[in-house]
């Protein structure tokens, strides 16, 4: 059974640009969550989607957005990038959000 | 607001030693608690999930316990090996639905097992 995949794995952008990250969950999983990981703040919750609906959003500015498609694949978008957005962005999927979360390898974003 | 704390932040032990990692959380209204492992530059690997109604879970050399009322969990690793070297993260899921559909993570414990 294939695991959670994330693309791209690495990304370099400059301030002011926007970026779109993609996540393909494990087949059959309908819940997809996104997290940001930085050395200073650790892992912080961004948002969670279930059956194309955003059910919960973390404490991030509106520049961070996401969506989920009918096949459960999810994308997150960050507009007007800032230096502080440099981080490892992790996606996790599960059958239901309150069950074991399976994480992808992450997308490492560097903003210059 | 749920807060999760892990102690110690770093731990170095010789191979073969048994060890305990600690996790505490401020809000006991949790649905479950998960322990993860993260290797440098990689994603997270789920190790154990304990439902709020359970007291412990075991997988191989790993045993996790949960005391929900006191807001504590421990991860016990038996006969540690160099391959166990990684960062171990504890995370809780709230049980009141709605805004609690998320994992709240601790900062992790960096474990080094020396040959």
């Amino acid at each position: 059974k294939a695991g959670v995949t994330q693309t791209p794995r690495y990304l370099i952008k400059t301030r002011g640009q926007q970026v779109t990250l993609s996540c393909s969950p494990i087949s059959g999983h309908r819940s997809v969550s996104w997290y940001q990981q930085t050395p200073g703040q650790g892992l912080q919750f961004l948002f969670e989607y279930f059956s194309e609906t955003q059910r919960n959003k973390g404490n991030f500015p509106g520049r961070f957005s996401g969506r989920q498609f009918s096949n459960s694949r999810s994308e997150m978008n960050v507009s007007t990038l800032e230096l502080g957005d440099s981080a490892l962005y992790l996606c996790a999927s599960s059958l239901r959000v309150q069950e074991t979360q399976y994480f992808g390898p992450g997308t490492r974003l560097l903003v210059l | 607001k749920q807060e999760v704390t892990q102690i110690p932040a770093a731990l170095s032990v010789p191979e073969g030693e048994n060890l305990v990692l600690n996790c505490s959380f401020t809000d006991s209204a949790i649905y479950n608690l998960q322990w993860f492992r993260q290797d440098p530059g990689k994603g997270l690997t789920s190790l154990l999930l304990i439902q709020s109604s359970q007291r412990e879970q075991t997988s191989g050399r790993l045993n996790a316990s949960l005391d929900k009322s006191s807001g504590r969990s421990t991860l016990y690793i038996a006969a540690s090996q160099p391959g166990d070297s990684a960062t171990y993260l504890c995370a809780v899921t709230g049980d009141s639905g709605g805004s609690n559909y998320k994992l709240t993570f601790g900062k992790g414990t960096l474990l080094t097992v020396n040959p």
Side-chain angles (χ1 to χ4, degrees), chain A residues 4 13 31 33 47-48 84-85 88 107:
Chain A
V4 178
K13 293 285 188 179
S31 172
S33 300
F47 22 66
E48 189 259 343
D85 296 333
L88 180 65
T107 294

Side-chain angles (χ1 to χ4, degrees), chain A residues 9-10 33 35 37 39-45 48 55-58 88 90 97-106 108, chain B residues 31-32 34 36 38 41-46 48-49 51 89 93-107:
Chain A
R9 294 292 313 279
Y10 304 93
S33 300
Y35 294 85
Q37 186 176 33
Q41 298 298 317
L43 274 150
Q44 293 185 287
F45 172 77
E48 189 259 343
R55 294 195 297 186
N56 192 13
K57 190 176 192 300
L88 180 65
L90 292 163
V97 70
Q98 289 163 314
E99 298 186 1
T100 299
Q101 300 269 309
Y102 295 90
F103 281 77
R108 187 164 295 281
Chain B
Y31 189 85
N32 60 39
Q34 296 181 58
F36 294 89
Q38 185 174 32
K42 301 288 181 64
L44 278 65
T45 300
S46 178
L48 290 164
L49 180 149
Q51 301 293 351
L89 294 148
T93 302
D95 75 347
S96 52
S99 63
N100 279 316
Y101 286 136
K102 65 179 182 181
L103 291 171
T104 301
F105 282 88
K107 292 287 180 70

Side-chain angles (χ1 to χ4, degrees), chain B residues 30-88:
Chain B
I30 65 168
Y31 189 85
N32 60 39
L33 182 145
Q34 296 181 58
W35 282 93
F36 294 89
R37 160 188 181 138
Q38 185 174 32
D39 293 287
K42 301 288 181 64
L44 278 65
T45 300
S46 178
L47 298 173
L48 290 164
L49 180 149
I50 311 177
Q51 301 293 351
S52 62
S53 58
Q54 296 177 316
R55 296 285 294 184
E56 65 179 308
Q57 278 284 359
T58 298
S59 176
R61 295 182 293 109
L62 305 179
N63 177 277
S65 67
L66 173 63
D67 185 340
K68 182 180 166 184
S69 60
S70 68
R72 294 180 183 179
S73 176
T74 61
L75 178 66
Y76 174 83
I77 302 177
S80 60
Q81 303 170 356
D84 294 332
S85 298
T87 296
Y88 290 79

Side-chain angles (χ1 to χ4, degrees), chain B residues 6-28:
Chain B
Q6 292 187 244
I7 294 174
L11 183 62
S12 182
V13 300
E15 182 177 2
E17 192 161 296
N18 301 325
L19 58 100
V20 174
L21 307 181
N22 295 292
C23 171
S24 62
F25 44 95
T26 55
D27 185 352
S28 62

